[in-house]
Amino acid sequence: MGYLFAFLVLFAWLAWRERNKANVLQQKLDELEFDKQEEEKHSFSDTLQLIKHLLDNLNCRYEAKEEGRVEFSFHGDDYYILYTDDGVWCRIVEYVWYECSLDSVEEFSCMQKAINNVNFKRMSTACYSIDKENNKMDVFSKNDIILLQSLPSVENYFQICLNDICELKQKVVIEFEKEKQKIGIE
């Protein structure tokens, strides 16, 4: 009788364990199906759709201009994104945010030094162009990024890239003021 009882207990335990394994397996399959549905829900057919989705998540105003370019505002500043649908790179550019007369050699030199010092330490890049016609230097920012919907946490990555380009300008301005103080100009 003891063997029969032990056998029934063992049989009941094995049946319970197998049913529990089946439930756990079904739960994991359900989770995978949910993840797949979520992924399909956020699947974008092209880079423009992905960019619009990312900008919507950040509550940015934007306007798709000519093909390959989206203009938008982020933290009160104006930017644009250059992209291609057959590539994985994008370039985020902040419009000209500083101008300096070429006649002010000291100021021009201070800005060059500030840009060089800050660029060395950042993911984004401050750039300048010389407009000889108007006798001025224009400073703008850019950040070349990889943008794929398959990147883990693509929303967070995109926001980090935008924050970096915002911080870049602040760092350049601070460094510019330091350089001007070194030579005693205001």
Side-chain angles (χ1 to χ4, degrees):
M1 184 81 165
Y3 290 115
L4 181 62
F5 181 72
F7 177 74
L8 289 175
V9 169
L10 180 62
F11 181 76
W13 178 77
L14 288 173
W16 173 83
R17 193 176 95 187
E18 289 303 312
R19 189 175 60 209
N20 193 32
K21 282 182 182 178
N23 287 342
V24 168
L25 182 60
Q26 185 60 46
Q27 184 180 4
K28 288 184 179 184
L29 287 172
D30 291 345
E31 288 172 5
L32 286 173
E33 184 62 31
F34 176 77
D35 290 344
K36 184 178 176 186
Q37 289 171 354
E38 283 297 305
E39 188 176 304
E40 287 172 359
K41 188 166 74 172
H42 294 294
S43 181
F44 306 102
S45 61
D46 61 18
T47 306
L48 179 58
Q49 276 190 339
L50 175 60
I51 290 169
K52 287 178 175 181
H53 169 76
L54 295 170
L55 293 173
D56 283 338
N57 282 352
L58 293 171
N59 295 318
C60 293
R61 272 187 8 257
Y62 63 86
E63 184 179 346
K65 293 292 187 173
E66 69 266 9
E67 189 173 328
R69 181 182 173 123
V70 176
E71 294 185 5
F72 67 99
S73 293
F74 181 71
H75 292 308
D77 292 321
D78 294 325
Y79 299 85
Y80 59 93
I81 298 176
L82 301 173
Y83 67 92
T84 60
D85 275 330
D86 59 345
V88 297
W89 75 272
C90 291
R91 175 172 285 168
I92 303 170
V93 179
E94 182 176 11
Y95 289 100
V96 172
W97 50 264
Y98 180 79
E99 294 178 355
C100 171
S101 170
L102 295 178
D103 294 333
S104 177
V105 176
E106 296 87 4
E107 196 171 322
F108 175 81
S109 175
C110 289
M111 181 53 80
Q112 280 183 314
K113 288 178 184 176
I115 288 171
N116 289 337
N117 289 340
V118 173
N119 280 348
F120 185 71
K121 304 169 191 166
R122 304 299 300 191
M123 178 170 76
S124 300
T125 306
C127 306
Y128 68 88
S129 62
I130 304 297
D131 181 354
K132 289 184 180 181
E133 189 174 302
N134 294 312
N135 196 41
K136 66 178 182 167
M137 163 200 217
D138 294 326
V139 180
F140 61 96
S141 305
K142 72 176 186 74
N143 191 351
D144 292 323
I145 65 171
I146 294 172
L147 192 59
L148 295 168
Q149 65 184 355
S150 61
L151 286 172
S153 302
V154 68
E155 290 90 356
N156 292 338
Y157 166 73
F158 187 70
Q159 186 169 7
I160 288 167
C161 292
L162 288 177
N163 287 337
D164 188 71
I165 201 168
C166 286
E167 291 172 10
L168 172 80
K169 180 169 62 174
Q170 295 168 353
K171 299 290 185 188
V172 169
V173 169
I174 290 168
E175 197 67 29
F176 177 57
E177 291 301 321
K178 286 180 187 177
E179 290 297 327
K180 286 184 359 181
Q181 286 178 356
K182 283 181 186 176
I183 62 172
I185 62 169
E186 227 174 276

